Amino acid sequence: MYDRELLAHDFTTIHSGRPWHGPSLKLILSEITPAMAAAKIDGAHSIWELMLHMQGWMQVVLLRLDGQSVGEPPDGDFPSPPDSTEQNWKAAIRQYEATQRKL
């Protein structure tokens, strides 16, 4: 089983380090425009929806680590993103990164 330090290192590496699988999530998100983030291809979830999904489940982990009994993320499994403006996209990335740092 993972220990806390190794797990924290893996989360950080995947998010903003040099993961073995390619570019970090932070680097990938920095190259995505709001229009790209909001685009839905063949009915699949958009990048924005996927990011909100990941953030929501990170929030669930944080709440559970705090001793709370939580099922689904507070905003739902796949919350709808706001209007696809530059300001909203940057705010969503900042909020995702803040949640990542807490985790």
Side-chain angles (χ1 to χ4, degrees):
M1 180 172 275
Y2 273 93
D3 65 12
R4 287 180 170 203
E5 291 80 21
L6 182 57
L7 192 55
H9 175 266
D10 286 349
F11 278 136
T12 301
T13 300
I14 291 165
H15 178 261
S16 57
R18 295 177 55 102
W20 64 269
H21 54 77
S24 68
L25 188 54
K26 184 174 184 170
L27 178 61
I28 292 168
L29 291 175
S30 73
E31 297 174 352
I32 303 290
T33 66
M36 292 166 64
K40 289 185 152 223
I41 299 171
D42 295 330
H45 289 291
S46 69
I47 292 169
W48 204 323
E49 289 171 330
L50 291 169
M51 187 178 74
L52 293 174
H53 171 80
M54 291 186 301
Q55 178 184 350
W57 284 101
M58 284 191 297
Q59 289 173 331
V60 166
V61 170
L62 287 167
L63 292 170
R64 289 179 181 173
L65 288 172
D66 196 34
Q68 298 182 40
S69 178
V70 181
E72 202 171 271
D75 292 333
D77 192 24
F78 280 97
S80 297
D83 293 336
S84 57
T85 65
E86 185 75 24
Q87 181 179 359
N88 286 343
W89 177 235
K90 286 181 179 182
I93 291 173
R94 281 192 306 273
Q95 187 173 8
Y96 175 85
E97 290 178 348
T99 304
Q100 166 64 31
R101 280 190 301 277
K102 287 179 187 174
L103 185 59

